[in-house]
Amino acid sequence: MADFALTRRFAGRSSIADAAFKASTWCFAVLVLVLLGAVIIALIDGALMALERFGPSFVITETWNPVRETFGGRAPMLGTLITSAIAMLFGIPISFGIAVFLTQLCPVWARRPLGVGIELLAGIPSIIYGIWGLFVLAPYMQAHVQPLLIDTLGALPLIGPLFAGPPLGIGMLTAGFILGIMVLPFIASIMRDVFDTVPSMLKESAYGLGATTWEVVWNVVLPYTRVGVVGGIMLGLGRALGETMAVTFVIGNAHHLSVSLLAPGTTISAALANEFTEAVEDIYQSSLIALGLILFVITLIVLSAAKYMLIRLQSRTGT
Amino acid sequence: MTPTLKTVTRSLAAGALLAGLWTAAEAADISGAGATFPYPIYAKWAEAYKAKTGIGMNYQSIGSGGGIKQIKSKTVDFGASDMPLEVKDLDDAGLVQFPMVMGGVVPVVNIKGIQPGQLRLDGTVLADIYMNKIKKWNDQAIAALNPGVTLPDRAIAVVHRSDGSGTTFIFADYLSKVSAEWKAKVGANTSVEWPIGLGGKGNEGVAALTGRTDGAIGYVEYAYVKQNKQLIYALMKNKDGEYVRPESVAFQAAAANADWAKAPGYNVLLTDQPGNASWPISGATFILMYKKQDKPETAKQVLDFFAWAYKSGGQLAESLDYVPMPAKVVDLVEATWKREIKTPNGQPVWSGPAS
């Protein structure tokens, strides 16, 4: 009898607690959507003035003239995409190499210190990367890397113009390079984690058939972990697209776009960080918010594309 | 109610009570928001004033744009802007504007063999350099100003601020005054569409880029030159044709020679002012307040604070390498307060310095 009462009491309590718990987790989940919606509404509301005044030409014109109050976002938009692309170009192969080494080749005793070292890279605040970029990397690029690029790649047809111009040290290439270093730990540590999930049996079987390490990585490990690898890359890309301080320090902050990667440029987040505080005129502020909206849309497109790719991959392999 | 919930509610109630007390304590303080350039001195003044009177001042350095927005929405007692508002904008919003403290902008260069103060420049040459019309240091126009100085056959690398800044506004305004072409093509604002050059973030960014690039020219705030002895500043030719050194007295001379009395809203830019000692690229930072004050007691406290800062804050300002306003200008500003800042029933809010 007493047992029965106790059970009933617990049952009653837990159902209330359960319901409360369920409701509160619901609230938290919905809160995310509400916040997202609020951000979108605030951005559109703020950008409306600029979008009405300049229309679609906002994304294709390059003029950014706070004095005459004509604004176009082409330079920062393309700057964002180009620097992120350079970052991925540096970041992905190096991260892949790191992950392969750590999971397949590295002696066991060195795994932990190396792994921790890479994760520590992720913990460095971006302003430190910016300062390091300005005072250490940029002078080095100016003195050694850029003159070399100008003399070698700059002399080639087709890609030559990409590496033309004086070696200034700072510019799109340096910014992309810093971004590449910054996304390294994100991509590398995710790749390492997913590579570790590959069952030894699969790898051992491939080795047993006489496969080389490279063949095992390329034909067994990578296909098995595809989804995780793409996810890691997208996480890195997301970081590169939105990175602000480090880029602001080394990109040169010029609102015009040159063919040369060595020339100064700007990105959306750098332009916002630079100009928002002293943007007095309404249309100036509105144009900056419109840039923010564009960045939001770019990020949304990138993430949706990534999700779509993942779904395609999964349905194709049937996993 | 479960015990846990009770505790939560109780602490929430206590929190609300505390928050209430805190706001009550805050209400005695005055608040302002705006320009980042004068933040260090406003903060220093606030500290000294609080020690003396017990009245604190909260200043949020959120940028001139934010300061103007906040004063217009009346969330602060005063706004601060590096760029003076036009008289029409002031009248539309019912605001009074007055200058608080000054600074100067100094061109700095990096040319091998040139010492601080050795290179002489004038407005036209500076404008032509920033418009990419003068491309090399051994150009005729520069050589003509510098007899006896050997300048290298080296390309000029132009450096400017990348962030919106009052410093850029003062610099661009000076170039607009001395070069019609600059005025027509570029103009003046806290950031402009630069015809050429690299953007560095903040004074330190410009100084770093200039210091590192052979043949570079940039512009930084005076305080920055004074604190970094290795920066090679140039002498500037002023309106009277004299070459002047960037010094506190030269900025004060510019402010003293400016015709404040005839400028409504103190909309005077201290660039290219007459006087043989005036530094041509000087500027002030401004305070914005409402003409009609709904809370006259708070407004009086704000004005008392500024009156104290004018009278006793000069030394603190100089210790941070700002330039205090000359007495002549202070008298004009205080007369403006008496004349224009009123209570809802038309009485002046401030009638003279507190004894």
Side-chain angles (χ1 to χ4, degrees), chain A residues 104-130:
Chain A
Q104 318 293 329
L105 301 167
C106 181
V108 178
W109 59 266
R111 267 185 206 185
R112 265 188 84 92
L114 279 176
V116 169
I118 287 157
E119 273 158 20
L120 279 181
L121 266 185
I124 299 175
S126 62
I127 185 98
I128 305 291
Y129 279 104

Side-chain angles (χ1 to χ4, degrees), chain A residues 125-140:
Chain A
S126 62
I127 185 98
I128 305 291
Y129 279 104
I131 292 169
W132 176 77
L134 182 63
F135 289 109
V136 181
L137 181 66
Y140 184 79

